[in-house]
Structures are given as C-alpha cells and as structure tokens.
Amino acid sequence: LTERNYSDLTQQCWDYFVDLMRHVTTSELCDWKVISRPYSELQDCLEVWAERLNYGYPNAVAEQYIFQSHHRYFHNCTLEHPVYFDPPEDVLLAMIIAPICLIPFLVTLVIWRSKDSKAQA
C-alpha cells in the first residue's frame, strides 16, 4: 500500500519535472547549469515523499523516475571531460607503501654521505 501511495504522490514530482524541462531547449539539455535545478527538484521531491511515508530512499519507484528522466532527456549527453576513478587497491597500496619504504633508505644514504664527507675533510 505504501508503494502505491508513493507512486501516486511521486507522479506529481514527475509531472512538475516534465513541466520544468519544457523550458529547456535541446541545446541546453546537457548543460548542468541549466538542468541541475529541475533534476534536483525531482530528486528532492522523490526523497521528501519517501520520508513522509516512511518509505526507504532510494527505492525502486524513485530509481524508475530517475532512469526515465535520463532516458527521455539526457540519453544523448556525453562527458566532455573524462571522469577519474581511484586506482585499484593493489596499485593504490603500492603507491602508498613505496614512498614509505624509500624514506629509511634515503635517511640512511644522507647520514652515510654526511659521515663520508666529514671523514674526507
């Protein structure tokens, strides 16, 4: 019953989102500055109704609206700038441990060289 109530109420969220998107031109569909407000309004509305009905968020109904928005409006958007991800854990671990292991070696080298230069003087 809660899911049905949520679906009925969130239809208003969708209708409002569609109304806001009517004012967005085709060339602006992939401009985050333009679409962030309608998109955020949709997400906020879906989340608020979930809270009011004590219905978990995110949920299947909300996800369906989000997917529907992407399919209908944003399917032709591509990323102009690449998205960077964290490296795999083994690479990250190697990048952290290598400098740590190198520090004692460098300290030893500096001490040894400083002793060597004192002995020559």
Side-chain angles (χ1 to χ4, degrees):
L1 185 65
T2 303
E3 184 176 336
R4 185 163 173 220
N5 289 343
Y6 181 74
S7 292
D8 293 344
L9 291 167
T10 54
Q11 181 62 44
Q12 297 169 5
C13 301
W14 176 253
D15 293 341
Y16 181 60
F17 172 74
V18 170
D19 188 53
L20 290 175
M21 291 303 290
R22 280 193 187 107
H23 306 290
V24 178
T25 65
T26 307
S27 62
E28 295 174 324
L29 279 177
C30 297
D31 184 356
W32 181 247
K33 291 174 190 159
V34 176
I35 62 162
S36 64
R37 181 177 167 260
Y39 192 79
S40 295
E41 292 273 347
L42 175 63
Q43 281 189 308
D44 291 345
C45 184
L46 295 170
E47 193 169 352
V48 165
W49 281 116
E51 270 183 33
R52 286 184 185 170
L53 294 174
N54 206 17
Y55 188 60
Y57 185 87
N59 56 61
V61 176
E63 285 181 6
Q64 187 59 41
Y65 281 118
I66 298 298
F67 286 135
Q68 190 174 335
S69 73
H70 283 259
H71 180 73
R72 184 168 173 176
Y73 296 103
F74 315 123
H75 64 279
N76 284 330
C77 296
T78 56
L79 294 173
E80 292 178 18
H81 305 288
V83 175
Y84 298 105
F85 296 99
D86 287 339
E89 280 187 35
D90 53 342
V91 174
L92 188 61
L93 195 59
M95 291 172 69
I96 293 170
I97 290 177
I100 292 172
C101 293
L102 202 57
I103 290 170
F105 170 75
L106 292 174
V107 169
T108 306
L109 184 65
V110 167
I111 293 170
W112 179 67
R113 292 294 292 163
S114 68
K115 284 183 180 180
D116 192 37
S117 64
K118 285 181 186 176
Q120 290 178 359

